[in-house]
Amino acid sequence: MKEQQTLKEVRKQQNLTQEELANAAGISIRTIQRIEKGETIGSAYTIKILAKTLGIESSNLKASKPKQTSQEQDIYIKVKLQNFSILSVILIPFGNLIFPAIIFFRHREDPQIKVLGKKILSFQLMSTILLFIVTVFIFHTIGRGPGAIPLPVFISYPMYILVSVSTVIYTSMHMHANNKLLNLFPTII
């Protein structure tokens, strides 16, 4: 078996430009650029077509993913920790604000953490304000309810926890796949 090579290496060995390869394979030049930059590994179909066009086995094409530096990995881990710290809301009311804020303020000197951390805190602040508004609305609509803890708390807090958990899972999956934070988080802080 031949040694695996990146798409760029094989293309250059065959003296092809990205445009020539794109035309020959019937694939967009942007797709080839993204594969060569390591922004995507390409679909199985795309790799198969490119390999066939280049006259090699698709198993001989290796993904050209850029490796993260230790600093980028450190930032990624801190942002992921901040994201998962939101789950503390399950045990501690307002834990979704307290623990991400602690992580953010401890590491805010890094420009990337400052931007991403602000987005996470902004989202949690907005969702907490929304919880308060929903709770007040439910309180006025259905009344206090029986017992020491008002009924609106039993309705709105579990909904809030569900939204927080869903957001953390969705964000984590997206971060794991793309090593980026979702644009879902607005910045209001």
Side-chain angles (χ1 to χ4, degrees):
M1 181 177 143
K2 289 178 88 177
E3 184 181 322
Q4 286 190 322
Q5 295 177 300
T6 64
L7 176 63
K8 186 175 187 176
E9 292 169 346
V10 176
R11 178 181 60 76
K12 286 192 173 200
Q13 285 174 356
Q14 295 187 12
N15 294 321
L16 293 171
T17 65
Q18 289 177 337
E19 187 175 350
E20 291 170 338
L21 179 58
N23 290 335
I27 294 174
S28 75
I29 191 168
R30 180 68 186 127
T31 300
I32 292 171
Q33 290 169 341
R34 291 180 66 224
I35 291 171
E36 287 187 0
K37 285 183 183 177
E39 293 174 6
T40 182
I41 58 171
S43 68
Y45 173 78
T46 302
I47 297 300
K48 184 178 176 182
I49 293 296
L50 287 170
K52 185 176 179 182
T53 304
L54 293 166
I56 63 170
E57 293 291 321
S58 58
S59 59
N60 290 342
L61 279 180
K62 70 177 179 181
S64 56
K65 272 205 159 196
K67 294 189 177 182
Q68 289 182 321
T69 64
S70 62
Q71 183 183 12
E72 288 172 331
Q73 287 176 336
D74 189 41
I75 291 168
Y76 177 72
I77 289 169
K78 288 173 185 171
V79 171
K80 211 166 185 180
L81 176 65
Q82 186 180 22
N83 181 48
F84 278 108
S85 69
I86 294 167
L87 295 176
S88 63
V89 74
I90 295 170
L91 301 173
I92 303 167
F94 302 109
N96 64 315
L97 291 173
I98 297 167
F99 296 109
I102 290 170
I103 294 168
F104 170 72
F105 286 114
R106 288 188 69 205
H107 304 288
R108 71 177 179 264
E109 67 280 348
D110 187 293
Q112 286 182 301
I113 292 177
K114 191 172 188 174
V115 170
L116 298 175
K118 275 185 180 180
K119 286 184 176 236
I120 290 173
L121 279 175
S122 294
F123 182 80
Q124 290 305 310
L125 184 60
M126 283 182 5
S127 60
T128 302
I129 291 168
L130 184 64
L131 170 69
F132 176 75
I133 292 168
V134 167
T135 304
V136 169
F137 176 76
I138 293 172
F139 186 80
H140 285 299
T141 304
I142 63 173
R144 181 178 169 87
I149 299 176
L151 186 59
V153 172
F154 285 116
I155 296 170
S156 58
Y157 197 68
M159 289 185 332
Y160 181 63
I161 288 174
L162 181 65
V163 168
S164 292
V165 169
S166 301
T167 303
V168 167
I169 291 170
Y170 185 70
T171 303
S172 177
M173 287 172 38
H174 186 79
M175 285 173 60
H176 182 71
N178 302 321
N179 288 346
K180 293 180 187 174
L181 190 62
L182 287 174
N183 290 330
L184 146 83
F185 297 116
T187 305
I188 60 169
I189 298 178

